[in-house]
């Protein structure tokens, strides 16, 4: 997609083949199985990608796509420059061309095994670039090693000893060894691009842009987003007991947040207090399921707190009400008092009507603050 193209293709040091296609295109449908087989045969050594040009129209326009399918190739290294693919569209043709994009120029060729050991040991300096050595019985540089050296160019130095026969660190060839400072590690996993690449990233402590790393990063982001979503939902479930201006600001003074505050008065009994907490908790849990809900829920116990009592009185709430609900938007200096029975049904209806605009709010400028001593400048103005 246009969202990951820049990072995945243009940010990668590896070579890429990218097909721009249209879902309705007959030639694209004929190419599809060959494209997939070629990608599988290359096993990540050359990257294959596909872009739905009917969806990613801006990206297709950027690369001058006028017909389907159009294949662009991007050679190894940075910066990436596109070129038109002009070869065949069979699996064999695609694989053959893909291999021409591979290079061994990032692999140092070492003739003797002792020299390979010496080359590795030169990376014992902790400031040196990590070095990876392949000992193989083959007479040429394997495609896999060429591909890895290309993808990790600048981050890890690569070398090969061909026609190796002697064991290394107790292992017979092929052996992959990595030296980073005082640490010498040998690879024990499967001999494929993703597995060795992941081992190099972890052991050498480097970051390389690959489809696997992009997928891993995206998965990590999804996990983090889900964790943040759950944390936010749990926070929205909480009914805050507010007693200071700092606590009020932390909960209520963010953008269009609507704070529903249940005030307890000198007339409130323990039963009233329990009811207030029960109603507010039920509503908080109900609204927590909606990430877009603007409501936050709180209680203020004015029974032994003069500052809270004065704050409550600025909204014109009668002293003889055991529990009074005031919805307020401090950032916009607006509020409204709920009139009627304080229970879950009526509070829910009031908040719903407030959200739908059926209940109008009043303006109060400046908005009162807890502990302000009941500033006479804060006067409500009804808007009918």
């Amino acid at each position: 997609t246009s969202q990951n193209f820049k990072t995945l293709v243009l940010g990668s040091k590896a070579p890429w083949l990218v097909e721009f296609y249209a879902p309705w295109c007959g030639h694209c449908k004929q190419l599809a199985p060959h494209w997939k087989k070629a990608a599988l045969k290359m096993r990540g050594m050359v990257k294959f990608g596909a872009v739905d040009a009917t969806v990613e129209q801006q990206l297709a326009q950027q690369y001058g796509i006028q017909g389907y399918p159009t294949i662009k190739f991007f050679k190894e290294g940075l910066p990436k420059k596109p070129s038109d693919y002009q070869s065949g569209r069979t699996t064999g043709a695609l694989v053959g061309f893909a291999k021409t994009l591979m290079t061994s120029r990032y692999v140092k060729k070492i003739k003797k095994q002792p020299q390979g050991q010496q080359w590795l040991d030169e990376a014992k300096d902790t400031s040196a670039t990590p070095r990876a050595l392949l000992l193989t019985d083959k007479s040429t540089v394997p495609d896999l090693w060429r591909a890895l050296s290309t993808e990790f160019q600048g981050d890890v130095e690569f070398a090969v000893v061909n026609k190796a026969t002697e064991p290394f660190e107790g292992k017979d060839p092929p052996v992959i060894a990595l030296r980073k400072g005082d640490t010498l590690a040998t690879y024990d996993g499967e001999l494929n691009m993703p597995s060795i690449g992941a081992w190099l990233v972890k052991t050498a402590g480097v970051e390389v842009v690959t489809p696997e790393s992009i997928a891993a990063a995206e998965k990590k982001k999804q996990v983090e987003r889900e964790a943040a979503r759950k944390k936010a939902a749990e926070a929205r479930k909480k009914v805050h007991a507010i007693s200071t201006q700092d606590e009020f600001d932390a909960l209520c003074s963010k953008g269009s947040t609507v704070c529903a505050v249940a005030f307890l008065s000198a007339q409130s009994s323990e039963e009233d207090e329990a009811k207030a907490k029960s109603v507010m908790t039920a509503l908080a849990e109900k609204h927590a399921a909606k990430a877009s809900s603007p409501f936050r829920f709180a209680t203020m116990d004015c029974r032994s707190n003069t500052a809270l009592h004065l704050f409550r009185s600025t909204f014109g709430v009668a002293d003889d009400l055991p529990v009074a609900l005031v919805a307020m938007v401090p950032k916009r200096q607006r509020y409204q008092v709920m009139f009627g029975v304080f229970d879950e049904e009526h509070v829910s209806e009031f908040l719903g009507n407030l959200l739908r605009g059926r209940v109008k709010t009043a303006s109060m400028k400046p908005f009162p603050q807890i502990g302000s001593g009941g500033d006479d400048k804060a006067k409500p103005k009804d808007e009918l």
Side-chain angles (χ1 to χ4, degrees):
T1 68
S2 56
Q3 293 180 333
N4 63 15
F5 190 90
K6 183 176 180 180
T7 302
L8 199 56
V9 179
L10 302 184
S12 170
K13 296 172 184 176
W16 274 84
L17 279 163
V18 179
E19 175 204 2
F20 290 84
Y21 72 95
W24 45 260
C25 165
H27 292 299
C28 300
K29 293 176 182 179
Q30 291 176 4
L31 173 63
H34 296 282
W35 191 257
K36 184 175 181 180
K37 288 178 183 177
L40 290 173
K41 283 182 176 291
M42 292 310 299
R43 297 171 294 175
M45 294 184 292
V46 172
K47 315 299 182 186
F48 282 68
V51 175
D52 184 344
T54 64
V55 175
E56 306 297 339
Q57 296 181 15
Q58 186 174 355
L59 190 61
Q61 185 178 5
Q62 179 183 341
Y63 287 97
I65 307 303
Q66 296 180 340
Y68 309 116
T70 294
I71 299 174
K72 299 281 185 177
F73 67 90
F74 299 78
K75 293 182 178 180
E76 54 83 17
L78 297 173
K80 282 281 191 285
K81 294 182 179 179
S83 298
D84 290 324
Y85 173 83
Q86 301 290 359
S87 299
R89 295 179 181 176
T90 64
T91 302
L94 290 165
V95 169
F97 181 82
K99 287 186 175 182
T100 68
L101 298 177
M102 301 173 67
T103 179
S104 59
R105 64 177 173 150
Y106 301 109
V107 181
K108 180 180 179 67
K109 298 174 181 64
I110 299 175
K111 293 182 178 180
K112 302 293 183 180
Q113 198 160 315
Q115 294 173 330
Q117 177 72 63
Q118 182 181 353
W119 179 81
L120 273 179
D121 290 343
E122 289 173 1
K124 282 185 176 180
D125 187 337
T126 53
S127 63
T129 302
R131 288 185 169 182
L133 176 67
L134 170 65
L135 297 143
T136 176
D137 57 3
K138 298 182 183 299
S139 58
T140 59
V141 181
D143 289 343
L144 180 55
W145 203 239
R146 290 196 292 158
L148 287 163
S149 70
T150 299
E151 196 153 291
F152 283 81
Q153 59 183 276
D155 297 308
V156 178
E157 295 179 12
F158 285 74
V160 62
V161 176
N162 293 115
K163 299 181 180 179
T165 56
E166 298 296 322
F168 181 86
E169 294 290 309
K171 298 178 180 179
D172 293 326
V175 179
I176 297 174
L178 178 82
R179 164 72 73 179
K180 183 186 180 185
D182 293 333
T183 302
L184 177 64
T186 56
Y187 179 70
D188 293 318
E190 296 180 6
L191 297 178
N192 58 55
M193 187 82 178
S195 299
I196 301 174
W199 178 77
L200 287 171
V201 166
K202 181 179 179 180
T203 311
V206 298
E207 293 185 7
V208 177
V209 177
T210 66
E212 292 76 24
S213 69
I214 292 290
E218 183 57 34
K219 184 176 181 181
K220 182 180 179 182
K221 287 181 181 179
Q222 289 177 352
V223 171
E224 290 174 347
R225 284 195 294 265
E226 181 62 17
R229 186 193 67 77
K230 289 182 178 179
K231 183 178 180 181
E234 287 300 316
R236 291 194 297 272
K237 287 182 181 179
K238 184 178 179 180
V239 177
H240 299 255
I242 293 176
S243 59
T244 67
Q245 183 63 37
D246 286 344
E247 292 172 346
F248 180 78
D249 288 341
L251 180 67
C252 303
S253 299
K254 297 177 182 177
S256 57
T257 297
V258 181
C259 259
V261 181
F263 286 97
L264 299 175
S265 71
Q267 308 301 319
S268 303
S269 63
E270 291 184 2
E271 184 179 343
D272 292 323
E273 180 182 3
K275 182 178 181 180
K277 290 180 179 178
S278 174
V279 169
M280 299 302 273
T281 298
L283 291 169
E285 290 181 351
K286 176 183 176 181
H287 283 270
K290 304 173 184 177
S292 60
S293 173
F295 293 109
R296 301 295 180 267
F297 296 84
T299 60
M300 291 192 187
D301 192 342
C302 307
R303 289 175 292 187
S304 58
N305 190 316
T306 303
L308 292 183
H309 177 76
L310 290 171
F311 182 70
R312 176 180 184 270
S313 67
T314 59
F315 298 103
V317 178
D319 289 337
D320 59 352
L321 285 176
V323 183
L325 185 98
V326 180
M328 51 189 83
V329 190
K331 199 74 173 179
R332 297 182 180 178
Q333 299 180 310
R334 306 192 72 80
Y335 79 100
Q336 188 53 271
V337 180
M338 187 193 84
F339 297 98
V341 180
F342 181 88
D343 59 22
E344 184 179 343
E345 179 183 352
H346 287 88
V347 174
S348 181
E349 182 181 2
F350 167 73
L351 295 178
N353 288 334
L354 191 70
L355 195 61
R356 288 186 287 271
R358 296 175 183 173
V359 172
K360 300 297 182 182
T361 57
S363 172
M364 188 183 294
K365 299 180 180 180
F367 205 80
Q369 293 195 335
I370 298 170
S372 64
D375 192 346
D376 290 336
K377 294 180 180 178
K379 296 183 181 297
K381 179 183 178 182
D382 290 329
E383 294 190 4
L384 300 178

